[in-house]
Amino acid sequence: MRPGPAIRAICRAIGIVVTLAGLRAEDGRDVREISQHTDIKMRHVTELIV
């Protein structure tokens, strides 16, 4: 089963942040914390990044 477009966009956004910030792949989870700490939906955070 292939992931839906929202999941693919989130993964893409995490990859962009990891690459641009020079982070380790494990640190990509921090992108989700942006959503949690700012009370902005992950979908919107993703749209802002991508």
Side-chain angles (χ1 to χ4, degrees):
M1 184 170 176
R2 294 183 64 203
I7 298 298
R8 287 193 306 266
I10 289 169
C11 291
R12 191 176 315 127
I14 290 171
I16 290 169
V17 170
V18 167
T19 300
L20 292 178
L23 301 173
R24 297 174 304 178
E26 302 86 48
D27 296 330
R29 287 175 269 152
D30 295 339
V31 174
R32 289 192 174 118
E33 290 183 26
I34 294 170
S35 173
Q36 293 171 348
H37 293 313
T38 60
D39 199 29
I40 299 173
K41 292 185 182 257
M42 188 64 186
R43 181 180 67 237
H44 187 64
V45 172
T46 299
E47 290 169 355
L48 292 171
I49 293 171
V50 175

